[in-house]
Structure formats: structure tokens, C-alpha cells
Amino acid sequence: MTAYTTRKLESAADIAALISVVAALEGCSAKQAKGFVDGLRESLGDAFEASLVFATQQQQIVGAVVLRPMPMGHLELFGGVPKHSNRHEISLALLRGARAAAPDAVLASFASDLYWDVSALEPLGFKAVAQYQRLQTAAPHLEQIALPAGFTISSYSQTPDLEGLIVGLRCYEDMWGHHRVDPAQVAAGLSSYNPALIWLARDALGSVAGVCRATPSDGKAWIDAPGVRLNSRGFNLHRALLGHALHALSARGATTFTLESWGESETNSTDYLELGFQVLESEAIVAWNAQFFDQARALSEAAKPKNEEETAMAVSPSS
């Protein structure tokens, strides 16, 4: 049997190999892959080199990952193993190497054939914790969805508020698959959205508690799944935001609606189905050591307001 080993960064040539791995996995040019890697180097700073793990066969690099910190507190495995006749064995070696590099961390990855031989994940203790979904409907259930007491929804064009939008986008940060919000990127990307199709939910104190964004084109609309602040979840605000978006887009002539979501709860996924969406694509997000989050999540649930009145009076977390 061929022996595959793992190691850390040793030379500048390893960075070139990482770029080649990323290009192969993402199906992009070397220039684009270098852009991804350069972005990681910039965001990780001095921690970049220590975050790298390579799988090798007789000194040749056959797989690589960057252990990228995520706002939930875990590490995302960015990279993987390109197509190879021994991809299963290389995937096992690289995943073991990643676990050894961060034995006390929670590691997460998309269970995608693009990145791994996915059959290597479960034997090493990676369990499904969430999912990515792409859903679509041409016949949404345009029901009137009551807002929780004390909440309002307005478009960004009605109440322009960049800081509020940043707070809204941070509502996603405690969910699997979401990266830390970069305020500079939010400001730079604002022009790519119609401000009338960005909706912010606010509580009784005027604090942003949720967000939803959409992009229409030629009768079609693409919707980012709503994000709701942790202590405002469970009171129908998520469903109300999506319903508001569907009504507004329908009024603008949209007839086909595509929704993308990452790290969603079962409740949210049920909302999508009940509003008429059908799943086109679904991909598990898996994690190792995820049990370390159990206690923290239980404490968060215990601290959440128990009714809509408490929620309406809850002060939003500082940004």
C-alpha cells in the first residue's frame, strides 16, 4: 500500500503547490487560485503558515488544507484532495493530519466530492451538523406572515444604514458555513444590490435583528436566506422576512425564485418547504469535535427570551 504522510509548510515551493491544489479543486485558473490564497494570507496574517497542512507521497504534495478560523469559533478546512486514483487514502491521511494539527479544535468541512473522497469523513469522526441548500419555486405561497410583536421590516432604500446592515449580516456569524463579516467588503459590495431589495428587521428599540437580500433579473430572483439575531430566533421573524421578500419580488414581476442557505436549522428548512420551495441541491456540512459546542449552545438557548415580549425588549448584541 502506498504510504501518504502529512507535514507543515517547509518552503516557498509549498505555496505554489497549494495554489495548484486550489486551482484543481475549484476548477479555476492559477491566477484565480492565487487570489484565493493571497486573500487567506492577508486575513490570517502571521498565523497563515501555521494553518497549513500538506499530504505528501514521496515528497510530492498530493493534497493541502488551510485551517481557517470561523466566527463560530471552529476551524474550516479550506482545500482538500484533487482527483487521484488513491483519493480515499490521501483524504484519510490529510484529515488525520488536520486533526493532529489542531487536536482541541472543532474542525468543519463541506462533505463534497469536489474536495474529498467523502467516504473518508465519517470513519474519522466527522458528523453532519448542518447543510448547504439551493432551493427553488415558481409558485411561492404568498401568505401574509405576521411579524412578532414589536418588530418592523423596512428596505435599505427607506432607511439607509450601513452600520445596521453590517449588524444584520453578523446575524449569520454563529451559523455553520458562514465567514466573519468584513465591514469594508460590505461597503464595497453594496452597489451590487438594489437598496430596495435589502430588508432589515428591527426590534422595538430600533436595533437590527435580521436581514434578507435579493437580486432579480429577467423574471428570476435569487434570495440569500434570511439571517436572524440569536435572541430573536424562534418567533417567526425568519419566515416573516422571507415572506416579505417574496411579496416584494413578486410585485416586481419575478416568477421564479431561487434561495441559497448555509448552516440552517431544521425549523428554517421547514419554512422553505412550507412556503413552496423545493430542494434542488443539498450538501452536508460535517464537523469533528463538534460536541465541544454542545454546552455553549445549551447556555445560549437558556439565555434566549422565552416569549415575544421579552424578545421585543431585548437589546441587540454590540457589533
Side-chain angles (χ1 to χ4, degrees):
M1 179 179 292
T2 304
Y4 298 99
T5 59
T6 57
R7 62 171 174 78
K8 304 294 283 181
L9 180 75
E10 292 182 353
S11 70
D14 289 349
I15 301 299
L18 172 63
I19 292 170
S20 295
V21 167
V22 171
L25 293 171
E26 300 292 342
C28 64
S29 68
K31 182 178 180 180
Q32 290 172 310
K34 184 178 184 300
F36 290 140
V37 173
D38 288 346
L40 287 170
R41 295 183 82 161
E42 181 179 352
S43 64
L44 294 177
D46 293 340
F48 175 72
E49 292 188 3
S51 73
L52 288 165
V53 180
F54 296 95
T56 63
Q57 176 191 11
Q58 297 177 349
Q59 300 304 310
Q60 179 184 0
I61 291 174
V62 290
V65 290
V66 180
L67 307 183
R68 173 165 56 182
M70 301 291 276
M72 272 182 63
H74 64 285
L75 300 175
E76 181 184 71
L77 303 182
F78 175 81
V81 179
K83 300 293 184 180
H84 190 284
S85 59
N86 290 327
R87 198 182 193 203
H88 181 79
E89 290 76 13
I90 301 171
S91 294
L92 288 171
L94 187 54
L95 290 165
R96 288 190 182 108
R99 292 190 318 181
D104 297 323
V106 177
L107 304 182
S109 175
F110 287 95
S112 171
D113 185 63
L114 290 175
Y115 307 118
W116 310 100
D117 179 326
V118 294
S119 66
L121 292 162
E122 186 174 357
L124 294 184
F126 284 81
K127 306 295 184 184
V129 291
Q131 60 188 342
Y132 160 80
Q133 284 189 320
R134 183 167 60 90
L135 308 96
Q136 192 172 87
T137 181
H141 301 164
L142 296 175
E143 59 189 68
Q144 292 296 329
I145 301 171
L147 275 167
F151 287 87
T152 59
I153 296 175
S154 61
S155 70
Y156 194 87
S157 60
Q158 293 173 300
T159 53
D161 180 4
L162 179 59
E163 289 303 314
L165 176 58
I166 291 168
V167 171
L169 293 174
R170 284 180 172 151
C171 293
Y172 297 107
E173 287 190 336
D174 69 325
M175 297 166 62
W176 297 100
H178 289 274
H179 298 164
R180 191 172 304 282
V181 172
D182 182 337
Q185 289 185 359
V186 175
L190 190 55
S191 62
S192 63
Y193 285 89
N194 181 338
L197 300 179
I198 300 173
W199 300 278
L200 295 176
R202 288 180 167 83
D203 62 21
L205 300 180
S207 300
V208 172
V211 65
C212 186
R213 299 182 294 179
T215 305
S217 177
D218 298 327
K220 299 178 181 179
W222 288 264
I223 307 171
D224 296 336
V228 173
R229 190 177 66 200
L230 179 61
N231 65 356
S232 298
R233 294 174 192 165
F235 305 109
N236 222 34
L237 184 58
H238 175 272
R239 189 181 184 116
L241 268 166
L242 181 55
H244 190 93
L246 289 171
H247 275 279
L249 291 163
S250 293
R252 287 173 170 264
T255 56
T256 302
F257 307 83
T258 301
L259 177 76
E260 282 194 299
S261 70
W262 285 262
E264 297 285 17
S265 69
E266 289 185 11
T267 299
N268 292 353
S269 296
T270 299
D271 282 347
Y272 304 145
L273 299 179
E274 291 182 352
L275 287 171
F277 284 91
Q278 294 184 331
V279 178
L280 298 181
E281 180 183 354
S282 181
E283 192 170 87
I285 300 173
V286 296
W288 175 73
N289 268 352
Q291 69 274 13
F292 289 177
F293 281 172
D294 289 349
Q295 184 176 6
R297 286 185 177 278
L299 291 172
S300 294
E301 284 297 312
K304 192 171 75 172
K306 300 299 186 295
N307 55 51
E308 294 179 4
E309 181 178 354
E310 289 181 47
T311 303
M313 297 305 296
V315 179
S316 66
S318 63
S319 58

